[in-house]
């Protein structure tokens, strides 16, 4: 009931939103060619590698907790998982709630112009990565103090919800025309920690499940968090990259702007950009050249 193939086929979309989507993604009647993916530009783009690295780092910490937290709670904190199921679910409930709140705040700050897109991604991703990093390391020092450990683990997982206002949007920020491809690349690599992290944890605690060994597990996750997010905040950009331009990527250019014709009439992007001399604060960022690796 809610999903449709294109803006044109959506029965409830407003004209402004339809025009915004079409022009942002260069969806015009004369642009029907299959997109040529600019692999060289992608693989030499520092913003892309920033997303790639932090995606892996985020998933290492997340999967460490997702797969091993029940074991830690049972064997170290001596929780009965069957009887205390709400306590086991609480960290992820908080993550869900915090991700919604963080998303609303991030959009509000960007809409008002208080923060740029780049600053928004850096700040909220740092909340979602550095926050859990601190909590997960401190959890190792909580020992058998159940209340402190549970509070810190809730913080480690709950604060992680802020990444949905951070790097998870960066694929779309830097290259909306290739966001699906970028997500496919980074998410494929980021699933590797899903089976590597539990193997590492199992190796570290097998036959010697002590607070000391779990402290090592948490420190590893904290270091991975730190390295990944530090790389991200240094090299990320919230601006569209020059290789996102489909015309340049496909090796052709138009001498004149195309007039978009739809069921509501004609629309010239050039007219819209010059009308009243105003630019919407929510509009797409102009392409910028961010330094590439090579």
């Amino acid at each position: 009931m809610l999903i449709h193939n294109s803006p044109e086929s959506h029965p409830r979309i407003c004209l402004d939103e339809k025009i915004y989507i079409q022009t942002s993604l260069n969806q015009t009647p004369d642009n029907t060619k299959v997109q040529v993916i600019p692999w060289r530009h992608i693989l030499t783009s520092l913003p892309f590698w920033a997303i790639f690295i932090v995606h892996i780092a985020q998933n290492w910490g997340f999967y460490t907790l997702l797969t091993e937290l029940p074991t830690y709670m049972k064997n170290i904190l001596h929780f009965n998982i069957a009887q205390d199921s709400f306590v086991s679910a609480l960290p992820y409930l908080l993550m869900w709630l915090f991700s919604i709140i963080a998303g609303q705040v991030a959009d509000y700050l960007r809409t008002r112009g208080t923060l740029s897109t780049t600053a928004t991604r850096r700040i909220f991703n740092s909340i979602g990565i550095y926050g859990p990093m601190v909590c997960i390391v401190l959890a190792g020092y909580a020992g058998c103090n159940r209340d402190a450990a549970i509070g810190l683990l809730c913080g480690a997982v709950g604060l992680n919800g802020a990444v949905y206002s951070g790097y998870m949007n960066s694929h779309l920020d830097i290259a909306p025309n290739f966001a699906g491809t970028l997500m496919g690349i980074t998410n494929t690599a980021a699933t590797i920690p899903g089976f590597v992290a539990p193997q590492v944890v199992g190796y570290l605690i097998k036959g010697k499940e002590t607070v000391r060994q779990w402290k090592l597990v948490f420190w590893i996750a904290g270091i991975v968090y730190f390295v990944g997010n530090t790389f991200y905040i240094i090299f990320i950009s919230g601006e569209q990259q020059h290789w996102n331009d489909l015309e340049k990527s496909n090796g052709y250019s138009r001498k004149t702007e195309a007039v978009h014709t739809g069921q509501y009439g004609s629309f010239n992007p050039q007219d819209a950009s010059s009308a009243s001399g105003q630019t919407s604060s929510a509009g797409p960022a102009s392409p910028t050249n961010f330094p590439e690796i090579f």
Side-chain angles (χ1 to χ4, degrees):
M1 293 187 295
L2 301 177
I3 305 301
H4 299 270
N5 288 331
S6 65
E8 292 83 358
S9 62
H10 199 296
R12 295 176 298 277
I13 192 171
C14 68
L15 178 60
D16 288 342
E17 184 177 7
K18 185 175 77 166
I19 291 174
Y20 171 74
I21 294 173
Q22 289 176 320
T23 55
S24 296
L25 300 183
N26 200 26
Q27 294 179 344
T28 61
D30 62 332
N31 185 18
T32 57
K33 294 184 178 180
V34 176
Q35 299 178 10
V36 177
I37 301 174
W39 290 111
R40 181 177 66 84
H41 292 292
I42 291 175
L43 296 178
T44 57
S45 170
L46 280 174
F48 163 75
W49 286 108
I51 303 169
F52 184 90
I53 296 298
V54 79
H55 201 159
I56 294 175
Q58 140 68 18
N59 277 19
W60 181 281
F62 179 76
Y63 283 127
T64 296
L65 291 174
L66 181 67
T67 59
E68 304 301 330
L69 186 56
T71 302
Y72 177 77
M73 295 178 69
K74 177 182 178 181
N75 297 336
I76 300 299
L77 301 181
H78 304 295
F79 269 92
N80 186 318
I81 301 299
Q83 295 179 0
D84 300 304
S85 56
F86 177 76
V87 177
S88 301
L90 182 59
Y92 299 95
L93 174 63
L94 293 176
M95 180 182 182
W96 172 60
L97 294 173
F98 189 68
S99 66
I100 296 173
I101 295 171
Q104 294 295 322
V105 174
D107 284 346
Y108 175 76
L109 294 175
R110 288 182 66 238
T111 301
R112 290 195 60 186
T114 305
L115 294 175
S116 66
T117 300
T118 302
T120 301
R121 303 298 177 234
R122 286 172 174 165
I123 291 172
F124 281 84
N125 209 70
S126 295
I127 294 172
I129 299 290
Y130 285 153
M133 174 194 74
V134 173
C135 290
I136 198 173
V137 170
L138 291 179
Y141 291 88
C144 295
N145 186 329
R146 300 193 349 166
D147 292 338
I150 290 299
L152 288 167
L153 290 173
C154 285
V157 178
L159 290 173
N160 200 231
V163 300
Y164 292 101
S165 300
Y167 83 91
M168 290 292 283
N169 289 281
S170 292
H171 309 81
L172 196 60
D173 290 336
I174 68 172
N177 293 318
F178 302 104
T181 299
L182 300 186
M183 174 59 82
I185 297 171
T186 65
N187 202 39
T188 297
T191 58
I192 295 175
F195 59 85
V196 174
Q199 291 291 331
V200 172
V201 175
Y203 174 79
L204 291 174
I205 67 175
K206 184 177 181 180
K208 44 185 175 180
E209 192 162 348
T210 63
V211 172
R212 181 178 179 181
Q213 290 303 109
W214 276 101
K215 189 184 300 183
L216 179 58
V217 169
F218 292 151
W219 262 108
I220 292 174
I223 291 171
V224 173
Y225 267 153
F226 178 80
V227 172
N229 193 64
T230 301
F231 190 89
Y232 176 82
I233 62 177
I234 292 174
F235 295 111
I236 195 55
S237 171
E239 306 298 323
Q240 288 184 19
Q241 302 302 291
H242 66 91
W243 43 269
N244 177 67
D245 191 320
L246 289 178
E247 293 178 359
K248 293 181 180 179
S249 299
N250 288 340
Y252 71 93
S253 62
R254 292 185 303 230
K255 296 182 179 180
T256 59
E257 289 284 353
V259 176
H260 299 207
T261 303
Q263 59 178 319
Y264 294 103
S266 299
F267 171 74
N268 190 323
Q270 193 172 34
D271 294 339
S273 62
S274 60
S276 304
Q278 297 179 349
T279 302
S280 170
S281 60
S286 57
T288 58
N289 290 316
F290 196 89
E292 296 184 356
I293 297 176
F294 305 108

